[in-house]
Amino acid sequence: MKIYKTNNYYEMSCKAANIIAAQMTLKPDSVLGLATGSTPEGIYQQLIAKCLKGEIDFSNIQTVNLDEYVGLDKDNPQSYQYYMNSKLFSHVNIPEGNYHLPNGMATDSETECKRYDQLIEDLGYVDLQLLGLGLNGHIGFNEPNTHFSKGTYLVGLAKSTIDANSRFFENYEDVPRFAYTMGIKTIMSAKKILLVVNGKAKAKILKEVVTGRITPEVPASILQLHNDVTIVADSEALSLL
Ligand code: F6R
């Protein structure tokens, strides 16, 4: 694992965006694995700025997102498709058809999970997977004690994740209880992984992820076994390491 420490969230975002931009420059038809949540927002802003300046080009890039809530369609402002459109896709030159998320409205979950895994395989697997870190050590929506051998699947979200996600919803009852997520096996099949972490609240879990036992109790601890992981984190998140 390579770990880069930055002074703050802005520098973390710039550094991570530079790593993604370098990937896009070296391989203009890269498959990028993307994440939602608060952490990557600054990265997407940096990528938009680079694209507007002509420094990076999305025209041959394909993207696959980690996850999507079940029951929210793409026009629902809380869906991850909506998040991605508003925070990245509608501002850059990525062709429609080049970005992919699980379909939260799919009625047959088994077929949907197979479709998503097949899509990733057909794209030649993810070249660079961007990950945020949940307070309980989740990556994607792989909650503690998920089996490491899973491909994409339908997951019931942990109470701590529902609580954390409720900040984006008006009513607690509206927070979805289920999501489709890439499994750990899918995430580990990415050629490179970029984990971004900021803030004091994540210092303890980040320490466990990097130096603790590899255990399904801390899903992100599996990253210790991947051969190309880069962590970009601010000094608060790295304060216990
Ligand atoms: C989002 C995702 C989640 C988040 C994690 C951290 O697509 O898969 O694993 O990365 O919950 O979320 P934030 O960045 O909001 O702290």
Side-chain angles (χ1 to χ4, degrees), residues 13 26 59 68 77 90 94 104 118 156 170 176 181-182 197 214 217:
S13 304
L26 290 169
S59 57
E68 176 62 286
S90 65
I94 187 162
Q118 190 62 52
E170 221 166 280
T181 184
M182 284 186 196
V197 193
I214 300 169
E217 285 162 36

Side-chain angles (χ1 to χ4, degrees), residues 157-231:
L157 302 178
K159 167 123 185 9
S160 59
T161 301
I162 295 168
D163 291 349
N165 292 350
S166 66
R167 69 191 191 277
F168 298 114
F169 290 79
E170 221 166 280
N171 301 309
Y172 187 83
E173 300 71 52
D174 295 339
V175 188
R177 273 34 180 184
F178 292 91
Y180 287 112
T181 184
M182 284 186 196
I184 295 290
K185 185 174 147 211
T186 329
I187 293 173
M188 290 294 277
S189 71
K191 291 160 205 162
K192 293 178 202 157
I193 289 180
L194 174 59
L195 175 70
V196 285
V197 193
N198 71 289
K200 233 191 178 91
K202 292 193 181 159
K204 189 167 167 282
I205 191 68
L206 182 57
K207 184 180 177 200
E208 274 183 59
V209 167
V210 175
T211 64
R213 216 161 43 91
I214 300 169
T215 164
E217 285 162 36
V218 182
S221 64
I222 191 73
L223 298 177
Q224 292 179 32
L225 296 182
H226 194 283
N227 63 9
D228 195 338
V229 176
T230 302
I231 299 177

Side-chain angles (χ1 to χ4, degrees), residues 4 35 37 45 74 96 108 111 139 149 153 189 207:
Y4 293 103
Q45 282 167 17
K74 62 181 175 34
E96 221 180 312
D108 179 346
T111 305
I139 44 177
S149 63
Y153 65 103
S189 71
K207 184 180 177 200

Side-chain angles (χ1 to χ4, degrees), residues 34-41 65-68 80 83-84 130-136 138-142 161 164-165 167-168 181 187 195-196 198 202:
L34 299 178
T36 59
S38 305
T39 317
E41 287 190 21
N65 263 78
L66 282 167
D67 38 24
E68 176 62 286
Y80 286 171
Y83 170 109
M84 290 308 303
L130 176 64
L131 295 176
L133 180 63
L135 286 169
N136 61 4
H138 73 219
I139 44 177
F141 275 137
N142 293 282
T161 301
N165 292 350
R167 69 191 191 277
F168 298 114
T181 184
I187 293 173
L195 175 70
V196 285
N198 71 289
K202 292 193 181 159

